[in-house]
Amino acid sequence: MTVSLTRHGAFAVVSVDNPPVNALSQAVRQGLWDMVDALDHEADVTAVVLICAGRTFIAGADITEFGKPSMEPLLPDLVQRIETARKPWIAAIHGSALGGGFEIALACRYRVALASASVGLPEVNLGIVPGAGGTVRTPRLAGVGPAVELVTGGKPVRAAKAKEMGLIDAVIEGDLLEGSLAFARGCDFEQLPALAQDRAVDAMDPEFWATAEAALIKRVRGEVAPLRALACIKAATERSFTEALAFERETFLDLRGSRQAAALRHVFFCERAAPRPSELNGVTPRSVRSVGVIGGGTMGAGIAAACRDAGLPVIMIEQDQPALDRGLANLSRIFEGAVSRGRISAQQAEDKIKGVAGQTDMSALADTDLVIEAVFEDLSVKRAVFTQLADHCRPDAVLATNTSYLDPQMIFEGLPHQERFLGLHFFSPAQVMKLLEIVPTKQTDPAVLAAGFALARSMNKIPVRAGICDGFIGNRMLKVLRAQAERVLLSGATPAMVDAAMREFGQPMGPFEAQDLGGLDIAAFQRKAARERGDPVFAPVADRLVASGRLGQKTKAGWYDYPEGSRQGQASDAVTDAIALAVAEHAVPQRAWTSRQITDALVLPMVNEGAKILAEGIALRASDIDLVKIHGYGFPRWHGGPMHWAQAEGLAVVVAGLDALAQAGLAEPACDHLRGHSLSGQAL
Ligand code: T1G
């Protein structure tokens, strides 16, 4: 039964049971609607407790219904029906009361919650705004400022904070139902709190809204919904309750069909599908209960921290004690940073560090289930490590390389038990970045591959299977983006114009400022290896900058000059000169560039490379490429990732754009896969 009723003395308990998250499907809405009607006519019912089965209170409207015609009862009507019911309703919250779920709770006379529960209005994360009164009732309960933060930020708040804000009335200890009934027994139903719709809301001065809007524009970089949500809250302070509800509903309906909402829903569902790919259905992962990490540098320490966050004991191996001390110090610094940011307590940090044993002898790994190598990015160095591991580890231990650019097949070549090897490409900082590229070799056992995905799940990461090529999925597309950025420079744009255009597109930073932050030498090292393999490389300006020691912020000069003590880059004559030399060398026609032309010249060829990656089977599905670029490289989520963005643009438009760039010598023409308007992956 999706919505059921039990009686507890004078109280009716309405239970919702709609796995997995009690989303407000039509059946749930209808069930609740019928309950309100029935219970309003039950003379011996004093009040109603609304509770949910399973892991959470109602987690929102049923997102799977979004693309379909609305079905009655509409959520705003149900919310209004509960709020004006003759019997007072009490929301009993566990898990997360989110979106429409929290809007239902806001319509109740009281809200109580377990301490572990959270409440929120995350609709902006889906490119929409609350559509059932959230932006109108929240400011009346919590005040305008807290409502702006809750709704435009889209982040839930825990029960204690929600109580402080006036969003819930009590935090329940122990059993939620018992606690809610005890709360109900303590209520004086003759003195009910005012309905949200009858509560006053502060009028704010114009300065408040101007400041809030400016801060939001800076933070959301092109995302529409947060700004529209702010407008709804402003309307709630300036219009009548009914008019404000109507404005909110109109805004919700307008955004629900928007391109950004479609993109964000695409990402929402892809992120949830990624950790359990259908091709591994029925495959039992090799068990991983302990991890060895070879190397305590930035990557090694980050990977060790990620393993500890997943609750796995770690043995960190370094070549000698000084290096090991440095590695353990790197690890401590990660957890100390997390404590200073309030992410974990000092005790938790201590427990995490206690779970790491430092060793300089690989024999310590004799019984470890998984070993991840994170040593210098050199084939001979890595091969030496795995040769030793093959001697010390159990034959069934999973041995993984964290290589970014080397061929895992070559790293493991000739070693015994080829079926146990895997590439696990973490992104720095490994304890923070959610992307994990999982790279099987031809011999990798499915149970070993499944162990990689299980590890990603335990780390709460987004795993994507990648085939073996130079740069796998993400770095291969990054190389194209960087080459295109230089092509645009040689045709008359400046680094600042390119970076500004990509920021306007929604990237957290442009390609040149990102290189200055990470260091130009890393990519130069990879270009050297590519040239030694005979691969084509296009970086005429970057090569000149690296040759002259301009490696980025760490040398106070890269694509920009960095005055002493500043991390804000300034245009550099040296870079202008380097560009001029490259222009002379390549004799490229100069042109005026608009922001949109620049982003097309960078993003369209990246999409083209993604289509080739799909055609070659390096990625199994276009959505995997979207997740890689979003979670590894900051591609704006509200574009849905490069491949979703291309489909939203229209593949014919993308092909035409690429062919026009190719005509001008500014990019390769559209590949056959793209020209065939197909972004489907290869069958496994
Ligand atoms: N609708 C449909 N399915 C949903 C869903 C939803 N709202 N939320 C989750 N699922 C599915 C999800 O796809 C997955 O399915 C399974 O539930 C477990 O999810 C009018 C219009 C609640 C914190 O944005 O944040 O209300 O892969 O893996 O990690 O104003 O799910 O198992 O088949 O994420 O424990 C507002 C979105 C909607 C909440 C649980 N609500 N969900 O996290 O499990 S818009 C949201 C979440 C709205 C109103 C508007 C999380 C979670 P499958 P999961 P989890």
Side-chain angles (χ1 to χ4, degrees), residues 132-150:
T135 65
V136 185
R137 292 186 173 86
T138 304
R140 283 170 164 77
L141 287 171
V144 177
V148 166
E149 189 180 335
L150 187 75

Side-chain angles (χ1 to χ4, degrees), residues 19-21 23-24 55-57 59-66 75-76 96 98-101 103 120-123 125-126 128-134 249 252 256 268-269 272-273 276 460:
V21 295
L24 282 160
R55 58 170 144 173
T56 179
F57 191 78
D62 186 339
I63 305 173
T64 62
E65 286 183 359
F66 277 18
L75 188 53
S96 314
L98 299 174
E103 288 170 309
L121 294 167
E123 283 86 343
N125 301 328
L126 292 168
I128 55 179
V129 297
R249 187 72 186 165
F252 164 75
R256 190 174 62 170
F268 176 87
F269 286 114
R272 281 153 182 80
R276 288 175 178 76
N460 194 26

Side-chain angles (χ1 to χ4, degrees), residues 5-29:
L5 173 65
T6 51
R7 294 294 296 271
H8 294 256
F11 301 114
V13 175
V14 172
S15 297
V16 175
D17 187 4
N18 182 30
V21 295
N22 291 312
L24 282 160
S25 62
Q26 193 281 336
V28 170
R29 298 197 304 274

Side-chain angles (χ1 to χ4, degrees), residues 159-462:
K161 171 91 170 140
K163 186 166 185 304
E164 267 173 42
M165 292 167 70
L167 291 173
I168 68 169
D169 302 283
V171 176
I172 300 293
E173 302 297 331
D175 179 79
L176 179 60
L177 178 57
E178 288 312 315
S180 307
L181 289 167
F183 174 87
R185 286 192 286 272
C187 288
D188 173 1
F189 291 110
E190 297 306 315
Q191 302 287 328
L192 287 171
L195 292 175
Q197 62 184 338
D198 299 331
R199 297 188 192 201
V201 56
D202 300 337
M204 312 299 282
D205 60 55
E207 183 59 25
F208 170 86
W209 298 111
T211 306
E213 185 178 42
L216 213 40
I217 287 171
K218 193 164 175 232
R219 178 168 65 81
V220 301
R221 285 198 310 276
E223 211 168 342
V224 167
L227 289 165
R228 300 288 294 276
L230 184 66
C232 288
I233 298 170
K234 184 169 185 286
T237 67
E238 296 170 345
R239 306 183 194 199
S240 74
F241 185 82
T242 308
E243 287 164 349
L245 278 180
F247 180 78
E248 178 197 71
R249 187 72 186 165
E250 178 193 324
T251 305
F252 164 75
L253 293 174
D254 176 41
L255 289 177
R256 190 174 62 170
S258 68
R259 208 170 127 167
Q260 287 194 7
L264 288 165
R265 278 200 300 279
H266 162 75
V267 177
F268 176 87
F269 286 114
C270 297
E271 286 173 338
R272 281 153 182 80
R276 288 175 178 76
S278 53
E279 60 272 12
L280 289 178
N281 281 351
V283 177
T284 305
R286 275 206 192 159
S287 168
V288 173
R289 298 171 310 276
S290 56
V291 181
V293 175
I294 313 298
T298 304
M299 286 310 293
I303 293 169
C307 291
R308 292 300 300 132
D309 286 342
L312 291 164
V314 172
I315 296 175
M316 177 186 279
I317 299 280
E318 262 290 4
Q319 51 199 343
D320 55 38
Q321 194 59 44
L324 180 59
D325 292 344
R326 285 194 299 276
L328 293 172
N330 288 340
L331 186 71
S332 298
R333 253 197 304 283
I334 289 173
F335 290 132
E336 283 153 12
V339 171
S340 62
R341 284 192 302 280
R343 198 173 69 78
I344 58 173
S345 69
Q347 183 57 54
Q348 285 169 318
E350 193 182 321
D351 295 343
K352 288 174 188 284
I353 290 168
K354 273 191 193 147
V356 180
Q359 294 287 345
T360 56
D361 182 342
M362 281 202 194
S363 61
L365 302 175
D367 194 29
T368 305
D369 295 334
L370 162 69
V371 181
I372 304 172
E373 162 272 317
V375 299
F376 185 60
E377 193 75 355
D378 174 88
L379 182 61
S380 57
V381 173
K382 291 184 184 297
R383 282 190 56 75
V385 165
F386 283 100
T387 303
Q388 290 182 71
L389 290 174
D391 289 342
H392 290 287
C393 298
R394 294 193 325 256
D396 66 324
V398 175
L399 303 184
T401 175
N402 172 56
T403 189
S404 303
Y405 271 91
L406 297 175
D407 179 344
Q409 203 79 48
M410 293 174 71
I411 293 173
F412 307 130
E413 192 174 29
L415 296 175
H417 304 295
Q418 284 285 307
E419 74 287 347
R420 61 141 158 214
F421 292 108
L422 188 64
L424 291 178
H425 179 209
F426 290 83
F427 286 72
S428 185
Q431 73 280 6
V432 173
M433 296 294 279
K434 288 183 75 79
L435 180 62
L436 177 61
E437 282 184 318
I438 300 184
V439 189
T441 68
K442 294 190 192 74
Q443 295 82 10
T444 299
D445 186 295
V448 170
L449 178 59
F453 278 82
L455 178 72
R457 288 197 296 274
S458 70
M459 291 178 166
N460 194 26
K461 287 188 180 292
I462 303 279

Side-chain angles (χ1 to χ4, degrees), residues 451-530:
F453 278 82
L455 178 72
R457 288 197 296 274
S458 70
M459 291 178 166
N460 194 26
K461 287 188 180 292
I462 303 279
V464 170
R465 175 178 174 158
I468 293 176
C469 68
D470 185 28
F472 309 137
I473 297 172
N475 282 339
R476 173 169 162 180
M477 292 173 77
L478 175 63
K479 281 192 303 177
V480 170
L481 180 92
R482 284 179 169 168
Q484 287 302 114
E486 292 212 28
R487 282 198 174 86
V488 167
L489 284 192
L490 268 57
S491 310
T494 65
M497 285 167 67
V498 174
D499 283 342
M502 290 308 284
R503 278 179 181 271
E504 193 182 326
F505 181 73
Q507 290 279 152
M509 59 175 70
F512 297 117
E513 49 199 354
Q515 289 175 52
D516 274 359
L517 184 63
L520 277 70
D521 44 338
I522 299 167
F525 183 73
Q526 281 129 22
R527 289 197 299 273
K528 177 173 175 292

